[in-house]
Amino acid sequence: MISVTLINRHRLAVLLILAALIISLGSPLISVGVEHWVREAGFKLLAVGEKGEGLTIDVAATIIYPGTGVLRTRGEGSVAGDTVNSMRLALWYASVLTGVDPGVIDVYITLRNPVKLEGPSATLLFTLVFTALLRGDRVNSSYTATGIIAPGGVVGAVGGLEAKLSAAAEAGLTRVVASSVAPVDSPLYYPSLTLLDAYHAFTGVDLVSRVEWSPVMHALNSSMLAGFNESYNYFTGLYESLDERLPVSWSDEYRVTARLYHERSLEAYSARLYYAAASMAFASLHSILASYLHYVSTYSPQLLRGELSRLLAESNETINRVRSGMAELSREISSQGSVDLCLLDSLVLTYERIIEVDRGIQVLQRELSGTQRLEDLVPEASYLYARSLTALEWLRITNSTRHPCGIPVGLSSVEGLIDSLKEALEVHVAYLDDLTNSSIILTGDTWVEDGVGRLAYYVSLFQDIASQFYSLTGLPRVLPIHVDHDAYAALLDTYASLLAALSQAGREGWTPLPSSLALAELVEAGVMATGNNTYSASLILKECSRLYTYLFLAEALKRSGENTYMYSWMSIRNIVAYASLVLVATGSLIMLKARFRGGRPGHVDLVSQHP
């Protein structure tokens, strides 16, 4: 038998190093059951050179799971800031559509040509590639795409498409997925209206289940919006009062429009579409109010400034009442510990109107005190006054109905959800700023209380910036002037599919969102009143943006437990690594210290013992 005797510090040093070795060897056991993968795809990105010629750029995307949230470019070329913003937005959409948190993956974009990428035109391509890699779907290297992604996951047109298609043909590509707004005569061109359509064209895979949606049946089966019967009567009463104050002989474009909307509101009310009837009555109200102000401007111009100031003051007073009511309601809901998504949706719809009116009042007050022609302020002042009343009506409906849909949002994690919304909002604003020359205005939240109120407020900001984008320059880039039957059907299909995806996050017996019910009524009333699809298509497009935000929120809630496990696993692995390093370093220092003190290098007795 051979025994080994170690004395003093050396015994401790060797024990520490042995412990480090055992921990390091055992650390792989911690990762048992945790998925690991690295996925990569090469593709050609289409661009336009300085002389207007089409270019193809070789690019590769690599996604590593698990990771730490890295998004990095590498390789021979460089990337401008607006292209980085497009990558970030693409990753957001890919995350929403796959349920994978960008915080637990690493994404690398490798440029294989010495070029500088600029502009947002590759947003669609990045979104399709990221989504395919996260899902594990095949990326066909002979396919590519070009286009922006507008709010609601709509494919927007970009410049130089003909030159890009020529370059794609020369490079041997067989399909280029692009916006359907500006069609090009090329066998490679594959038009797509929405991101869901584009993904099917790019991979042959449907991202979500395709379902049929009948707006009229959806609307008529609703009891939640019946409360807008009172709103219709209220707005109609105000319209009739103002109309009576005007001389019978007075006529202008505002009064003609007001009467048209009044007739439409009567038709919608007869069809039991009460929210649509109230919306049409709201339009008739702000139109007749504009006609009244135009009459004042024509016959008593010295009174117009005072009338405008009075309207703004009353609008501001109404909005302050709504703010107070929202604060009280938010405190009540927060005390319950959770909020149903349908109730949150109602709060969001109210906040959208608060934000819109508040920003509009500030703009008009500046213009009222400046050199702006007062007549030019009439339409906006009339609209803001009527819009403030719709905020009050939504608050009343929310308080009286409390329509549940079966998707609870726990308020214990509300601050984490708000942080996630803030990060996503930053991505969207940066991208839309690039598209609108920094014209997006983001309001502050100093007047919003903590809890469910702030959650609803930040959700509403997504709709607010979408509305700003489409009112500025965005709508012509994503919708043709006349929306044909096929485009209208594609938008309805996309909205229904997103709604179905959201319903899967709910419990059995899930009922539609208030915003969805409202859209159904407006779509039915819009088609009924105008006889075409353009008005309804613009409504659907904007509401798709809302559903993407809610899907993001639902996915954040669903994967919070999974992420906690993932982050815990990564933390444990890091702790193990650090512990091993510390033990090895401590053992080595002990041995070195003993040696430099001049002690014996280690008294080891090997004593042979024989039986």
Side-chain angles (χ1 to χ4, degrees):
M1 177 180 177
I2 299 177
S3 67
V4 180
T5 304
L6 303 175
I7 63 172
N8 302 331
R9 295 183 179 87
H10 294 83
R11 177 185 297 171
L12 178 60
V14 173
L15 287 175
L16 290 173
I17 294 172
L18 287 173
L21 180 62
I22 292 170
I23 292 174
S24 298
L25 292 173
S27 63
L29 297 176
I30 300 172
S31 63
V32 171
V34 177
E35 184 182 7
H36 304 261
W37 49 258
V38 177
R39 295 172 185 162
E40 183 173 280
F43 52 93
K44 289 189 181 295
L45 185 150
L46 301 180
V48 177
E50 295 180 355
K51 298 180 180 180
E53 74 280 12
L55 303 172
T56 58
I57 301 168
D58 292 317
V59 182
T62 305
I63 298 183
I64 302 171
Y65 177 89
T68 57
V70 168
L71 174 59
R72 190 168 297 161
T73 59
R74 59 191 183 185
E76 300 180 42
S78 61
V79 179
D82 54 358
T83 304
V84 172
N85 289 337
S86 73
M87 292 177 185
R88 295 173 67 202
L89 185 82
L91 190 56
W92 185 86
Y93 274 105
S95 168
V96 171
L97 292 170
T98 61
V100 178
D101 182 5
V104 299
I105 59 174
D106 290 334
V107 180
Y108 296 94
I109 301 296
T110 306
L111 303 182
R112 293 172 174 165
N113 302 102
V115 296
K116 181 176 182 179
L117 289 185
E118 294 182 286
S121 65
T123 312
L124 173 62
L125 178 60
F126 288 131
T127 305
L128 299 176
V129 170
F130 291 163
T131 304
L133 290 177
L134 290 176
R135 285 173 48 88
D137 293 335
R138 177 175 175 266
V139 176
N140 189 333
S141 60
S142 66
Y143 289 2
T144 189
T146 183
I148 64 169
I149 299 294
V154 187
V155 180
V158 293
L161 184 56
E162 290 186 3
K164 290 177 179 179
L165 286 165
S166 297
E170 292 178 6
L173 299 180
T174 59
R175 178 173 292 185
V176 177
V177 182
S179 171
S180 59
V181 173
V184 176
D185 185 15
S186 169
L188 274 64
Y189 171 61
Y190 200 102
S192 293
L193 181 60
T194 71
L195 183 53
L196 301 186
D197 299 330
Y199 193 80
H200 181 81
F202 193 69
T203 64
V205 176
D206 285 329
L207 278 172
V208 293
S209 301
R210 300 283 172 170
V211 296
E212 293 186 2
W213 186 61
S214 172
V216 62
M217 294 304 297
H218 199 62
L220 292 177
N221 287 332
S222 164
S223 60
M224 183 265 173
L225 299 183
F228 280 99
N229 176 26
E230 294 182 28
S231 304
Y232 162 79
N233 291 324
Y234 176 50
F235 293 145
T236 300
L238 291 175
Y239 159 79
E240 292 173 346
S241 175
L242 280 169
D243 190 53
E244 290 173 0
R245 292 175 63 180
L246 290 169
V248 176
S249 59
W250 169 255
S251 179
D252 63 357
E253 60 175 326
Y254 298 123
R255 196 173 196 182
V256 171
T257 301
R259 287 174 172 171
L260 176 62
Y261 275 115
H262 178 60
E263 292 173 2
R264 290 180 180 177
S265 70
L266 292 174
E267 293 175 10
Y269 189 81
S270 298
R272 293 185 293 132
L273 300 172
Y274 298 123
Y275 178 77
S279 297
M280 300 294 183
F282 150 77
S284 68
L285 171 59
H286 73 71
S287 298
I288 198 65
L289 182 54
S291 181
Y292 168 76
L293 292 173
H294 186 208
Y295 178 81
V296 171
S297 173
T298 302
Y299 293 103
S300 304
Q302 72 279 6
L303 301 179
L304 183 57
R305 185 179 296 275
E307 288 291 326
L308 290 171
S309 298
R310 179 181 62 80
L311 274 186
L312 292 182
E314 290 184 10
S315 302
N316 192 56
E317 182 181 348
T318 301
I319 286 300
N320 285 334
R321 285 174 57 196
V322 178
R323 279 200 190 105
S324 298
M326 288 288 283
E328 183 178 346
L329 179 58
S330 297
R331 284 193 295 270
E332 178 190 339
I333 297 171
S334 296
S335 66
Q336 298 171 2
S338 68
V339 58
D340 187 89
L341 184 60
C342 277
L343 180 53
L344 181 66
D345 185 47
S346 295
L347 296 176
V348 168
L349 288 162
T350 308
Y351 269 123
E352 287 171 20
R353 288 153 177 77
I354 294 175
I355 292 169
E356 181 184 8
V357 174
D358 193 48
R359 183 175 57 250
I361 289 174
Q362 293 178 33
V363 171
L364 282 190
Q365 284 176 338
R366 287 195 298 270
E367 294 178 345
L368 193 59
S369 60
T371 58
Q372 181 85 8
R373 275 180 14 109
L374 296 182
E375 294 84 353
D376 295 339
L377 306 183
V378 164
E380 185 67 12
S382 304
Y383 173 82
L384 291 175
Y385 176 80
R387 194 63 165 168
S388 69
L389 297 179
T390 67
L392 195 60
E393 287 302 292
W394 265 109
L395 177 62
R396 179 183 63 79
I397 292 292
T398 304
N399 259 316
S400 60
T401 308
R402 306 292 177 92
H403 173 69
C405 60
I407 303 180
V409 178
L411 297 180
S412 59
S413 57
V414 68
E415 291 304 320
L417 292 175
I418 290 173
D419 288 341
S420 297
L421 287 169
K422 283 182 177 180
E423 292 176 7
L425 195 63
E426 178 188 344
V427 170
H428 283 70
V429 170
Y431 182 76
L432 296 180
D433 262 347
D434 292 334
L435 297 179
T436 60
N437 296 318
S438 302
S439 300
I440 301 297
I441 301 172
L442 199 60
T443 59
D445 65 344
T446 54
W447 50 272
V448 185
E449 293 193 4
D450 292 340
V452 69
R454 288 184 68 229
L455 180 63
Y457 172 79
Y458 276 101
V459 172
S460 68
L461 287 179
F462 282 85
Q463 279 301 96
D464 181 55
I465 62 173
S467 296
Q468 289 185 60
F469 172 74
Y470 286 123
S471 65
L472 289 167
T473 60
L475 202 56
R477 297 183 71 171
V478 297
L479 281 182
I481 296 175
H482 177 74
V483 178
D484 61 22
H485 179 269
D486 291 340
Y488 181 69
L491 276 176
L492 268 183
D493 184 48
T494 293
Y495 183 82
S497 298
L498 293 173
L499 196 62
L502 183 62
S503 70
Q504 292 172 7
R507 298 169 178 168
E508 187 176 351
W510 183 84
T511 55
L513 298 162
S515 57
S516 176
L517 297 171
L519 174 66
E521 287 203 11
L522 290 176
V523 166
E524 180 60 23
V527 173
M528 177 179 63
T530 63
N532 64 65
N533 300 321
T534 304
Y535 169 73
S536 299
S538 65
L539 294 176
I540 298 168
L541 183 151
K542 295 174 184 177
E543 286 302 312
C544 284
S545 174
R546 184 190 309 279
L547 291 188
Y548 270 105
T549 306
Y550 287 155
L551 280 169
F552 170 72
L553 198 62
E555 288 294 343
L557 285 167
K558 185 176 71 174
R559 69 191 180 211
S560 59
E562 299 170 6
N563 285 356
T564 300
Y565 171 70
M566 176 56 63
Y567 292 135
S568 299
W569 172 79
M570 293 174 71
S571 298
I572 292 172
R573 290 295 301 266
N574 289 335
I575 290 171
V576 167
Y578 289 133
S580 300
L581 288 173
V582 169
L583 290 173
V584 170
T586 303
S588 300
L589 286 173
I590 290 173
M591 295 183 72
L592 287 172
K593 187 176 180 181
R595 177 171 295 179
F596 284 119
R597 282 187 174 181
R600 286 178 291 180
H603 178 69
V604 181
D605 274 340
L606 299 182
V607 182
S608 296
Q609 297 182 356
H610 301 279

